[in-house]
Amino acid sequence: MPRHGVSTRWGHPRFCWKQALKRTSGAPGLGLLWMVLSLGLVLVLLDPMVLWVPARAHPLPAQDHPIRFHGIVPRLQDAFGWRNLTCPVCKGLFTAINFGLKKEPNVARVGSVATKLCKMLNIAPPTVCQSAVQLFEDDMVEVWTRSVLSPSEACGLLLGSTCGHWDIFSSWNISLPAVPKPPPKPPSPPAPGAPVSRVLFLTDLHWDHDYLEGTDPNCADPLCCRRGSGLPPTSQPGAGYWGEYSKCDLPLRTLESLLSGLGPAGPFDMVYWTGDIPAHDVWQQSRRDQLRALTTITDLVRKFLGPVPVYPAVGNHESTPVNGFPPPFIEGNQSSRWLYEAMAKAWEPWLPAEALHTLRIGGFYALSPRPGLRLISLNMNFCSRENFWLLINSTDPAGQLQWLVGELQAAEDRGDKVHIIGHIPPGHCLKSWSWNYYRIVARYENTLAGQFFGHTHVDEFEVFYDEETLSRPLAVAFLAPSATTYISLNPGYRVYLIDGNYTGSSHVVLDHETYILNLTQANAPGAKPQWQLLYKARETYGLPNALPAAWHNLVYRMRDDMRLFQTFWFLYHKGHPPSEPCGAPCRLATLCAQLSARADSPALCRHLVPNGSLPGGQNLWPRPLFC
């Protein structure tokens, strides 16, 4: 099987399809296209003929933030002659643009300009540019016309801070109740023989209904191994029957194999399922496609899990355009009601009426799966750096964090414990959202018994610390690996062992197990898929327990023990690590990410290396972008 390298931007491998496209076809992916649409809005009232002037194509670098143009702007200044654009003229221009779009937004014209720009800058293959712009253009014009950028912000973006201030994601704070925080009380180990629950955790299934064995796994499009990918060169093998080590998602048969082969890992008391159901063909998805994926995979899970209760969370790929999750104040056809209503209908057998009510409003909910335990499913798209609707207002979208505080306070008052599930991990969110969440976790450390996320496709964790010193580990979020192969991974799933269902249970994670399908073996002639236990966390890492301090200590043990880190690196990639070695910068940045449950917070890694800097002066921050 061909093996493909993993992006190591900032020395830290990440599985975002934007980096994947840059890595495999020489240009970044479609996540930049909505940014190009914004630029198209600027260019459309400049000189439309400028796009017909021959200019050298400039490949765009992968960005750590979807609206940071700093690496692009100088190239655009050269290409379009913006070097002589003065600050007063710029502000006057954007005033006119905002006025003109509010008066009569011309979606088709903006889309045409953005498509030409996408092709000119080699952001994606021409057909992908055309399809993606058509998919994104209506929403992007709507966002812009709601005054996302003031003239000062736009010109600060283009010309620098001397012309204006570019920070539309301003700081904000949620309110915590006046109830004093109880003294920290770490959970006691369960008594010998106490019940233990097994919780199946599924995430990032990414079913590709167009997957086709034998097709090119290294095509020019952002997603391959599918109808339209073409045949591989004669010297290269085509996509495998069960999946492929490349920028490919899974055929339905592999997901059926996963679910039908769960027997040795069970039985399960319940299932946590944190989204990303559709494939990564985000440039051509329709609502019909997304709903087909939702209902098909939901039916499949129900078929094989039977009476076991399943508790889902919303992924960033469930919507179309991808990452587009408007807050509830956006109404009409552009709202997310079409998706939430379909989820409520599909998941009604698993969720009570109280959960379905808030699911329909904002894609989040709370319920009590057993006495003494409250489960909270968050819509992490309201913290996403890629959710362009948050450009309108990113202050606690949908009031979700304030709602979370209310749920946690009520649980504390009752003496209940809480599990939180969600798709995007909190350390990868917009800074204010992430810091507020961190503050909430610190306040309710005695109540929060577990946090479970996906999204990164790899096997990792995030440690939370006390806010006063950032030295006492008080919580840990587990980031489980994906079911999909995207990118260059084995398929996998996770099982959590939880303090069980009895009076006085702590409901904390006691251990976890990861299972994979070795694609090299499964795709061999005449072979059948064999899902196998990859490792058990406590046994493999020599952990005394699975509490936050143990994971904190593991990071520092891996810093000083290269052999232990290499074990982690192998398991991090579900038994299929990249061929490139992980040197000192890669290792330190990877370890830093395990300590960083708060976005853009270098202090969390200050003890790993002096001043948070890597050898050669490379800084551990900003942290990279995720899928």
Side-chain angles (χ1 to χ4, degrees):
M1 294 289 174
R3 294 181 65 177
H4 307 278
V6 177
S7 172
T8 54
R9 188 165 186 249
W10 298 294
H12 190 184
R14 287 304 182 195
F15 292 82
C16 183
W17 67 294
K18 285 166 283 300
Q19 284 102 324
L21 181 58
K22 180 177 186 292
R23 181 166 67 248
T24 53
S25 64
L30 297 175
L32 294 174
L33 284 175
W34 79 265
M35 182 173 68
V36 170
L37 275 159
S38 294
L39 289 172
L41 285 162
V42 177
L43 294 173
V44 74
L45 292 183
L46 285 174
D47 182 358
M49 294 305 295
V50 76
L51 291 177
W52 297 104
V53 176
R56 184 169 64 90
H58 300 282
L60 300 181
Q63 299 296 305
D64 62 296
H65 194 294
I67 53 173
R68 289 179 183 165
F69 299 96
H70 305 304
I72 302 171
V73 169
R75 296 170 179 172
L76 291 171
Q77 288 174 328
D78 287 336
F80 302 120
W82 289 357
R83 294 283 180 192
N84 297 323
L85 184 64
T86 65
C87 185
V89 171
C90 180
K91 289 183 178 179
L93 174 66
F94 273 89
T95 299
I97 289 173
N98 286 344
F99 177 78
L101 284 173
K102 287 180 179 178
K103 184 177 181 180
E104 188 178 358
N106 192 327
V107 175
R109 191 177 177 197
V110 169
S112 176
V113 172
T115 300
K116 293 183 179 76
L117 188 61
C118 174
K119 295 175 181 178
M120 178 184 296
L121 298 176
N122 286 340
I123 289 174
T127 55
V128 174
C129 286
Q130 183 75 37
S131 299
V133 167
Q134 290 178 352
L135 188 60
F136 278 78
E137 60 188 4
D138 286 333
D139 285 3
M140 282 307 305
V141 170
E142 176 68 17
V143 168
W144 188 281
T145 56
R146 287 175 176 262
S147 299
V148 172
L149 293 180
S150 69
S152 177
E153 288 172 327
C155 294
L157 168 66
L158 290 174
L159 302 179
S161 58
T162 57
C163 188
H165 181 58
W166 164 245
D167 183 16
I168 56 174
F169 294 120
S170 57
S171 298
W172 48 272
N173 289 304
I174 50 87
S175 298
L176 292 175
V179 181
K181 176 182 175 179
K185 185 180 179 182
S188 301
V196 175
S197 296
R198 296 181 67 84
V199 177
L200 173 64
F201 191 89
L202 301 172
T203 190
D204 298 274
L205 274 61
H206 289 293
W207 165 49
D208 186 358
H209 57 81
D210 280 339
Y211 187 97
L212 184 61
E213 179 189 8
T215 53
D216 189 0
N218 296 297
C219 68
D221 288 344
L223 184 66
C224 299
C225 302
R226 59 204 320 265
R227 294 178 179 87
S229 296
L231 296 176
T234 54
S235 60
Q236 298 293 328
Y241 184 79
W242 295 104
E244 185 55 63
Y245 294 129
S246 190
K247 50 177 182 175
C248 306
D249 283 320
L250 291 179
L252 192 64
R253 57 180 167 267
T254 306
L255 295 175
E256 290 177 325
S257 171
L258 185 160
L259 293 168
S260 65
L262 288 170
F268 307 112
D269 295 89
M270 51 189 173
V271 182
Y272 294 165
W273 176 22
T274 59
D276 267 17
I277 303 170
H280 287 85
D281 59 333
V282 301
W283 69 96
Q284 60 183 17
Q285 291 172 340
S286 67
R287 291 184 177 182
R288 181 180 178 182
D289 293 330
Q290 306 306 84
L291 297 181
R292 173 177 61 175
L294 170 67
T295 56
T296 299
I297 302 303
T298 297
D299 289 346
L300 199 67
V301 170
R302 187 176 293 112
K303 172 184 176 181
F304 287 105
L305 271 301
V308 180
V310 178
Y311 303 116
V314 183
N316 64 300
H317 277 265
E318 266 71 279
S319 184
T320 184
V322 65
N323 302 310
F325 286 84
F329 65 77
I330 301 295
E331 298 179 345
N333 188 53
Q334 288 178 305
S335 77
S336 293
R337 183 172 295 275
W338 66 274
L339 178 61
Y340 299 150
E341 287 289 348
M343 288 176 169
K345 180 179 180 181
W347 299 341
E348 187 174 13
W350 296 324
L351 305 180
E354 60 166 339
L356 294 171
H357 175 69
T358 53
L359 175 64
R360 286 188 168 98
I361 295 172
F364 52 88
Y365 63 85
L367 53 81
S368 298
R370 57 179 51 166
L373 177 65
R374 191 74 168 162
L375 173 67
I376 297 176
S377 176
L378 294 178
N379 185 349
M380 300 299 286
N381 296 292
F382 289 142
C383 81
S384 173
R385 303 179 183 193
E386 296 262 285
N387 186 358
F388 49 84
W389 286 99
L390 301 187
L391 294 168
I392 298 174
N393 185 350
S394 63
T395 302
D396 192 14
Q400 182 178 216
L401 283 184
Q402 202 63 60
W403 169 85
L404 172 63
V405 169
E407 283 286 339
L408 289 170
Q409 185 59 55
E412 180 181 279
D413 294 342
R414 293 190 302 266
D416 287 350
K417 300 300 181 182
V418 171
H419 285 177
I420 291 177
I421 61 173
H423 184 67
I424 300 172
H428 314 317
C429 295
L430 288 167
K431 182 175 180 179
S432 286
W433 201 103
S434 180
W435 285 50
N436 274 291
Y437 182 86
Y438 204 90
R439 181 175 163 223
I440 293 168
V441 169
R443 166 60 183 83
Y444 293 101
E445 63 173 293
N446 289 349
T447 298
L448 270 171
Q451 301 175 69
F452 310 92
F453 299 92
H455 186 59
T456 70
H457 293 199
V458 289
D459 186 343
E460 50 186 339
F461 55 90
E462 293 180 348
V463 181
F464 294 74
Y465 297 89
D466 67 292
E467 290 192 291
E468 293 75 19
T469 67
L470 292 180
S471 62
R472 180 177 64 86
L474 54 82
V476 61
F478 295 99
L479 282 55
S482 62
T484 187
T485 56
Y486 193 92
I487 296 171
S488 197
L489 297 166
N490 286 310
Y493 65 90
R494 165 70 51 81
V495 177
Y496 290 102
L497 282 67
I498 309 286
D499 194 8
N501 187 17
Y502 61 93
T503 302
S505 172
S506 67
H507 298 286
V508 298
V509 174
L510 304 176
D511 201 353
H512 66 65
E513 303 168 352
T514 298
Y515 294 78
I516 64 162
L517 174 67
N518 186 309
L519 279 182
T520 302
Q521 297 173 1
N523 285 330
K528 294 183 179 180
Q530 299 292 329
W531 293 84
Q532 57 191 269
L533 174 67
L534 180 64
Y535 79 105
K536 297 181 179 181
R538 288 184 57 186
E539 176 185 5
T540 300
Y541 294 129
L543 303 177
N545 51 52
L547 298 178
W551 297 99
H552 165 88
N553 292 334
L554 175 62
V555 173
Y556 287 91
R557 288 166 53 209
M558 290 192 291
R559 180 193 63 178
D560 301 326
D561 185 340
M562 179 60 72
R563 185 173 181 178
L564 180 62
F565 175 77
Q566 290 302 331
T567 297
F568 176 80
W569 186 246
F570 178 80
L571 300 174
Y572 178 95
H573 294 95
K574 288 184 289 180
H576 192 260
S579 57
E580 297 88 348
C582 183
C586 166
R587 179 165 57 95
L588 290 172
T590 301
L591 296 178
C592 173
Q594 313 311 300
L595 301 178
S596 305
R598 191 167 74 178
D600 300 328
S601 184
L604 292 166
C605 298
R606 67 183 184 270
H607 297 305
L608 280 176
V609 289
N611 301 319
S613 295
L614 297 172
Q618 185 183 12
N619 201 283
L620 287 172
W621 294 88
R623 70 183 304 151
L625 182 66
F626 294 78
C627 291

